[in-house]
Structure formats: structure tokens, C-alpha cells
Amino acid sequence: MTQHSRDVSRRRLLFGGAAVGAATLLTACTSNDTPAASTQTKAAGDGAGNNAPGKKVVIGFSAPAADHGWMGAIHANAKAQAAAYSDVEFKEVDGGSNSEAQRSTLGTLIAQKPDIIVVLPHDGKEVNAVALQAMQAGIPIVNLDRAFPDALASRLVIKGDNYGMGVSAGHFIGKQLKDKGVSNPIIGEIAGLEIPLTVERSNGFKAALATYGFQVNNRRSAEFTSDSGQREASQLLQALPKIDAIWNHDDDQGIGVLAAIKQANRSEFFMVGGAGSKLAIDAIKADNSVLKATVTYNPSMASSAISLARLIAQGRGLGDLTELQVPKELTLASETITKENASSYDKLGF
């Protein structure tokens, strides 16, 4: 192989592929079937041969410590998906509890020269420089969930539709209130950590509500944990003696939100959750609390990230696509789970 050919191959590995903004690609790399360990895995591809063993590759993985259910599912899904392939060695490093710790362990991982690294950063901006370092060293980065601000910091971005989550929640709430004839509703919002994806969710929520002539009356910021959800919900309930609807961004912190609502003995409103946890889906089916819907943000994206990382490292594309390389971006759709369709989402609950 000439130097030019090697350079072209390297560029394709690091930067090749077209952007795709649809969840349909997931049929080529993951599944809605949940095995006994509650992970969502499936060997990639179909008759086109993505499932056929290729060259042995080492996939590095880094994500924040599993301090809540969604993040725990991210870790479990990534590990289980890697184990589904005989040609993958999975090398996970401790993402720690903050960006500084993650930068340190990622630096160690880069020095070990894996074929590719999947990274869910604590904060994309704060981990951006280390991702760039990996890319410049010839190690492709698959950026999972929380995006890096620099497009050159990753070969592939795979994430949920944060803006779409807000839009879905806003339309569900807006339609419900319109159908009830509520013309000037009091709407609360309990967001997560103030990072870019949370801002996107709030912007989508605001935009959707505006189409009904509605707005958020009180917005609180929790931290994607049950304790923070209970704390912020308590303050929201104290600030608003009457509420018509609440959107809570995250079902894990929703455990605390529901506890605060029960403690305050409030039930005059309905609530929409976020992510699609098993507890939330069960509560929606039971229909015995204020929680009436949740909008999806599924941790199955970690399974897909591993599958796609494997193909990128092996220089293969997706069998169902004409292009020779894996696309550069994949955004999963956000769907609304209600009592009417909750049973269909049981296998996606984490």
C-alpha cells in the first residue's frame, strides 16, 4: 500500500460517512429484545454480512460512574454488546465522578492504543480536548450522548433527540390541556443537569408549548438523581400552589419527584417523565399516580455505539446502506409512552 493509500484509509476511518438523523438505522445494529440481564443487544447487520466475524479489534469505553439507572444501563448495554462479538476486546476505563477524572483515565486509555474508543463524556466541552488528542493520534472516537462541541473530536456521534424529547413532552401536555379546555395553564418543568443536552430539551419543550399559546411558569434544575428530583420538586410545589402540568426530564430523578408530590399530598395536575424507565412504564400502565406519560431517551444507544464502533474499526459499513462507511451521525427518535401503548415498550424499559 502506498503512503497516499494509507492516508486515504486513515481519513476514511476517522472522518468518513454521511449524517443520518433517523432511528431506522438501529435495525442494523441493535434490537428491542431485552435478555435476562436487562441489556439490549443484538449482533449487527443481516444478510449483508455485518454479523460475520472480522478482524480482531479493541474497543475502549469511557462513561461517567453509574450513579443512576439510565447510566447503569449504558454501562451494562455497552459491555453486553461487546461480549456478543467474538472479534471484539472490550476495554473499559473508570469514567469517575467528574470531567477531570475522566480526562485522566481517557489519557491512559489512549496511551494503550485501542482501535477505537466510545466516549460518553461528563461534559462534552470539558472532555473535548482529550477526544481531539485521540483523533489526532489516529484513534477514532465514537461520541455517545453528550456531544463534543468540536466536530473534529469524533468520527461518529450517536445520541438521543434531546430537542425532540422536549417537543414530544410539550405536545403531549399542550394537547391534553387544550382538550380539557384549560386556556391559561400553570406549567412546571424539572430539568436535569445544566449541560447542553438539558438546554436542548428545555428549548424543544418551550417551542412546542408555544404552538398552543402556553409557557413554562416555573423551571427547576435537578441532577438526574432521585434525591435532587425530590429536592427540586419540593421547591416547585411550594412555589406554585396550583399546577396544571409538569414535565420532569428524567425518570430516575422522577422517583424523587413523585415522592415529593406524594409527601405534599398534591394531585391536581398530571406529569410527563423522560427517558422511559421500567418503573415509569409500570406506573403509567397502573395509572394510579400523576405520571401519565414519558418520552423516550433509551440507553440502547450504548449497544448501537459498540456495534458501530466495531464496524468503523474494521473498515466496514452498514449492510443496509449503499455507502461503504458507517455514517457520521445518528440521532434516535423520541417517542411518547402512554397508558395506551405502554405494553409495547416493556422490553425497552431500563
Side-chain angles (χ1 to χ4, degrees):
M1 180 183 288
T2 66
Q3 182 62 45
H4 173 72
S5 297
R6 285 194 293 269
D7 289 344
V8 170
S9 296
R10 174 59 56 82
R11 284 197 297 271
R12 284 178 176 171
L13 183 65
L14 291 174
F15 303 111
V20 174
T24 54
L25 274 178
L26 286 177
T27 58
C29 56
T30 190
S31 169
N32 288 345
D33 294 332
T34 307
S38 295
T39 55
Q40 297 151 342
T41 65
K42 183 180 179 182
D46 55 15
N50 285 160
N51 188 32
K55 74 171 184 177
K56 183 83 172 183
V57 294
V58 177
I59 300 178
F61 181 78
S62 173
D67 60 355
H68 59 287
W70 188 89
M71 192 63 74
I74 284 286
H75 283 267
N77 286 342
K79 185 175 181 178
Q81 187 70 17
Y85 298 112
S86 61
D87 52 12
V88 169
E89 178 184 344
F90 186 67
K91 188 169 289 188
E92 181 174 7
V93 295
D94 185 359
S97 60
N98 55 53
S99 295
E100 182 179 2
Q102 188 173 34
R103 288 195 300 265
S104 176
T105 55
L106 268 174
T108 301
L109 182 59
I110 291 168
Q112 296 173 10
K113 299 182 179 179
D115 295 288
I116 193 165
I117 302 174
V118 177
V119 182
L120 195 165
H122 278 277
D123 184 298
K125 186 175 182 180
E126 294 178 358
V127 184
N128 186 82
V130 183
L132 275 172
Q133 177 188 340
M135 291 286 288
Q136 290 163 1
I139 303 171
I141 293 290
V142 174
N143 183 189
L144 177 60
D145 186 37
R146 302 171 185 174
F148 297 120
D150 193 333
L152 296 178
S154 65
R155 161 61 179 82
L156 165 68
V157 178
I158 176 168
K159 60 182 181 177
D161 187 358
N162 289 289
Y163 189 87
M165 278 185 77
V167 170
S168 295
H171 279 309
F172 181 85
I173 287 174
K175 186 176 186 306
Q176 293 291 313
L177 293 173
K178 280 291 188 184
D179 288 349
K180 292 178 180 180
V182 181
S183 59
N184 189 26
I186 303 299
I187 300 173
E189 179 182 1
I190 304 175
L193 286 168
E194 286 299 340
I195 53 179
L197 66 82
T198 298
V199 175
E200 289 179 28
R201 293 178 184 184
S202 289
N203 287 343
F205 188 50
K206 179 180 179 181
L209 288 178
T211 66
Y212 300 88
F214 300 156
Q215 64 181 8
V216 174
N217 299 89
N218 194 304
R219 181 182 183 275
R220 310 293 306 180
S221 295
E223 297 152 16
F224 298 135
T225 63
S226 177
D227 288 347
S228 65
Q230 185 166 5
R231 180 190 69 228
E232 297 304 323
S234 295
Q235 295 182 24
L236 177 73
L237 293 168
Q238 291 172 16
L240 299 175
K242 181 185 179 300
I243 302 174
D244 292 290
I246 293 175
W247 180 37
N248 164 57
H249 286 208
D250 181 81
D251 288 333
D252 286 325
Q253 73 184 25
I255 296 170
V257 172
L258 288 171
I261 291 169
K262 184 176 181 180
Q263 187 175 33
N265 196 27
R266 298 279 294 272
S267 60
E268 78 277 8
F269 54 84
F270 66 92
M271 187 173 86
V272 175
S277 74
K278 185 66 166 61
L279 281 175
I281 293 171
D282 287 344
I284 291 165
K285 286 195 296 183
D287 196 20
N288 57 7
S289 73
V290 297
L291 184 62
K292 303 302 180 186
T294 188
V295 290
T296 61
Y297 196 82
N298 202 277
S300 64
M301 66 178 75
S303 303
S304 301
I306 295 297
S307 290
L308 294 172
R310 168 180 172 265
L311 295 178
I312 292 170
Q314 292 176 338
R316 297 199 279 178
L318 285 169
D320 289 337
L321 298 185
T322 304
E323 289 73 23
L324 301 181
Q325 298 293 319
V326 169
K328 183 157 176 62
E329 183 171 329
L330 175 62
T331 302
L332 283 67
S334 182
E335 304 163 62
T336 304
I337 301 175
T338 64
K339 182 181 179 181
E340 288 69 31
N341 65 9
S343 295
S344 301
Y345 290 88
D346 276 338
K347 293 179 181 180
L348 284 176
F350 57 90

